[in-house]
Amino acid sequence: MDKEIRRAMPVLPISTVMQLTNLTARQIRYYEEHHLIEPVRTEANRRMFSLNNIDELLEIQELLEQGINIAGIKKVFALKKEANKRTFRGVDIEELDFRSIVQDEMQHLSRINGH
């Protein structure tokens, strides 16, 4: 299984996230309300977090400690997200999709060239 896929898997409940980040449940919910993190909801409506979410929460803490407010943090996250996007034939794609498209295109070119 790819490392990025594992890091994106929502497997941690909020209680574990609180222990790992030293944040309160209220703080975590606040950051979710402001769309800084996006935990997955189970069928029972429980939040489940990924390792990527933990990284985002730790980054939020660091930015707040540097004096950046929530609006500034939103801009930082938006810039990072934009930097991680690529386009293929005019369509925005994420990094994992990009790799898949490149592999598909290489296979297609290989068939065309008779290799």
Side-chain angles (χ1 to χ4, degrees), residues 63-78:
L63 293 169
L64 287 169
E65 288 170 6
Q66 294 172 15
I68 300 173
N69 62 18
I70 294 297
I73 293 171
K74 286 181 180 181
K75 288 180 182 176
V76 168
F77 277 29

Side-chain angles (χ1 to χ4, degrees), residues 46-78:
R46 293 186 64 213
R47 292 172 180 86
M48 295 300 285
F49 298 83
S50 68
L51 294 175
N52 289 338
N53 293 140
I54 300 294
D55 289 341
E56 292 165 341
L57 288 167
L58 294 173
E59 185 173 1
I60 291 167
Q61 284 180 302
E62 288 176 18
L63 293 169
L64 287 169
E65 288 170 6
Q66 294 172 15
I68 300 173
N69 62 18
I70 294 297
I73 293 171
K74 286 181 180 181
K75 288 180 182 176
V76 168
F77 277 29

Side-chain angles (χ1 to χ4, degrees), residues 13-102:
I14 196 166
S15 58
T16 303
V17 174
M18 290 168 55
Q19 290 176 341
L20 292 171
T21 62
N22 288 325
L23 292 169
T24 65
R26 178 69 197 117
Q27 288 171 303
I28 295 167
R29 287 192 302 269
Y30 179 81
Y31 301 142
E32 180 185 6
E33 289 168 12
H34 284 273
H35 307 286
L36 294 172
I37 59 167
E38 297 177 10
V40 172
R41 296 288 185 136
T42 65
E43 288 181 18
N45 206 31
R46 293 186 64 213
R47 292 172 180 86
M48 295 300 285
F49 298 83
S50 68
L51 294 175
N52 289 338
N53 293 140
I54 300 294
D55 289 341
E56 292 165 341
L57 288 167
L58 294 173
E59 185 173 1
I60 291 167
Q61 284 180 302
E62 288 176 18
L63 293 169
L64 287 169
E65 288 170 6
Q66 294 172 15
I68 300 173
N69 62 18
I70 294 297
I73 293 171
K74 286 181 180 181
K75 288 180 182 176
V76 168
F77 277 29
L79 289 171
K80 282 180 62 173
K81 188 174 184 178
E82 190 64 33
N84 288 335
K85 282 189 176 181
R86 293 203 168 88
T87 61
F88 178 72
R89 297 183 181 159
V91 178
D92 286 341
I93 53 173
E94 299 294 330
E95 180 69 26
L96 292 175
D97 295 330
F98 180 74
R99 290 181 188 159
S100 176
I101 289 170
V102 169

